[in-house]
Amino acid sequence: LLALAPYSGGAIEEQLHELTKGLTNPSSDIRRKLLELLKATISKRNIDKVFPALRKELRRACSSNEASDIEYRAILAETFRFMLKFAQDLEGEYFELIASELVPFPRWDDASAQVVVEVIKGFVTLASREAHKQLVKSLVKRFSDVQSFHVLKALL
């Protein structure tokens, strides 16, 4: 499916809702493959449909302590980093994602934390001046909640 995604004529894109529902599958391999497929089909036209489902999935994965979800969280964070290039219209949603969920999450391993830092840097690069100011104010308020050294270092 990944190889066919660019040539599907939108057929896979039309099934985005079904693909995002598949992320609830307990198999980490299936979820990983679905994220790869979603990344291959994400565009400016459909990011507003994919973003809420992936944010919900991030919340679910962050609430889990299962070993398979540690790697999966990193892949989810990487997917959010990838989606930044399509997210100019989702500035507010990205702001909330970073300030409320990515930064204060206490269990980022080093590799995942590096990806979170890239999401923050990417957002700051793309964000409007007003959103940038809001993010800085919000992150200053949440500074004491940050438990990952890499994320803390990036915020400084």
Side-chain angles (χ1 to χ4, degrees):
L1 281 176
L2 284 173
L4 296 174
Y7 310 103
S8 69
I12 293 176
E13 196 172 305
E14 291 173 9
Q15 300 301 318
L16 283 175
H17 181 68
E18 296 302 319
L19 289 173
T20 57
K21 282 182 12 182
L23 292 172
T24 60
N25 190 300
S27 168
S28 60
D29 289 335
I30 290 173
R31 291 182 304 193
R32 190 175 308 118
K33 291 293 183 187
L34 284 171
L35 284 176
E36 290 176 25
L37 187 56
L38 283 169
K39 280 173 63 173
T41 58
I42 292 172
S43 68
K44 283 186 178 190
R45 291 188 322 265
N46 62 25
I47 192 165
D48 60 326
K49 296 177 183 92
V50 176
F51 189 90
L54 290 180
R55 187 172 179 180
K56 181 179 177 182
E57 184 60 14
L58 179 67
R59 284 186 196 123
R60 189 209 57 77
C62 286
S63 67
S64 169
N65 289 324
E66 294 179 34
S68 63
D69 280 330
I70 294 171
E71 181 184 346
Y72 183 59
R73 283 193 293 264
I75 295 168
L76 273 167
E78 171 61 32
T79 303
F80 281 108
R81 189 191 67 75
F82 171 80
M83 290 190 321
L84 275 169
K85 61 185 166 188
F86 304 111
Q88 287 80 14
D89 296 336
L90 293 176
E91 197 171 78
E93 286 86 348
Y94 258 92
F95 171 79
E96 279 298 313
L97 173 78
I98 292 170
S100 301
E101 295 168 40
L102 292 181
V103 170
F105 181 66
R107 293 186 305 257
W108 290 117
D109 59 272
D110 288 348
S112 300
Q114 286 299 119
V115 177
V116 170
V117 167
E118 292 301 316
V119 172
I120 295 168
K121 287 179 182 177
F123 177 80
V124 168
T125 302
L126 296 174
S128 67
R129 183 170 286 262
E130 186 57 36
H132 187 260
K133 287 179 187 177
Q134 277 185 301
L135 182 63
V136 169
K137 285 179 185 177
S138 178
L139 293 179
V140 167
K141 289 178 186 174
R142 306 289 314 247
F143 195 75
S144 63
D145 296 336
V146 179
Q147 296 183 24
S148 166
F149 172 75
H150 291 293
V151 174
L152 191 61
K153 182 176 147 188
L155 293 178
L156 292 174

